[in-house]
Amino acid sequence: MSKNQEVEAMEEIIPEAAATLKYARISSRKVKIVADLIRGKDAAEAIAILRTTPKAASEILVKILKSAMANAENNHNMTSQNLYISEIYANQGPTLKRIRPAAKGSAVRIRKRTSHITIILREKV
């Protein structure tokens, strides 16, 4: 085997499907807590976990996960029974700055944080 053939064999293309939600009106810190629960799990198992998790981020993550599963089935011809969450992360988005009146005519800044959430699914071999 030549060196090029070895490199091509090592770089086997693994199909993956992704879904991203940008500018979600929830702090990335709150999303990461729930994301850690489902990282590496089967897609169906992850949905079951998210439905029983009493956090605001779980409702958002269910929608993104369903979208990623639909992308996998329709765009990449994957079967939904073999899908698992290979990557899930929530990055910080832009912060909306608001002002609230405070004592003695001063103002207090309120930071409304946003996040960008990404889920990447792969198929079990």
Side-chain angles (χ1 to χ4, degrees):
M1 248 177 134
S2 70
K3 197 168 194 172
N4 278 347
Q5 289 173 335
E6 287 179 28
V7 170
E8 287 176 16
M10 290 173 62
E11 292 179 359
E12 186 180 333
I13 298 169
I14 301 169
E16 57 184 31
T20 303
L21 172 64
K22 294 200 167 204
Y23 307 106
R25 266 295 291 120
I26 188 168
S27 169
S28 61
R29 209 170 145 185
K30 294 177 182 177
V31 177
K32 287 175 186 179
I33 293 168
V34 182
D36 290 342
L37 294 174
I38 61 171
R39 186 175 286 115
K41 301 266 195 299
D42 291 343
E45 184 184 351
I47 288 177
I49 291 169
L50 290 173
R51 286 184 194 257
T52 59
T53 305
K55 291 278 189 182
S58 61
E59 192 176 325
I60 296 167
L61 287 175
V62 166
K63 286 186 178 183
I64 303 169
L65 182 54
K66 284 184 175 181
S67 175
M69 289 171 71
N71 290 343
E73 290 177 29
N74 296 320
N75 302 342
H76 303 288
N77 297 324
M78 299 177 178
T79 56
S80 60
Q81 290 81 18
N82 297 338
L83 295 175
Y84 73 97
I85 299 171
S86 65
E87 294 177 45
I88 180 170
Y89 49 88
N91 296 326
Q92 189 173 349
T95 301
L96 306 172
K97 294 176 178 81
R98 301 291 180 260
I99 291 175
R100 177 178 180 275
K104 298 181 181 176
S106 63
V108 175
R109 180 169 273 171
I110 295 172
R111 289 178 221 84
K112 294 181 179 275
R113 301 189 187 272
T114 63
S115 58
H116 304 312
I117 307 165
T118 303
I119 296 179
I120 297 174
L121 301 177
R122 288 202 176 117
E123 216 170 11
K124 287 183 196 168
V125 183

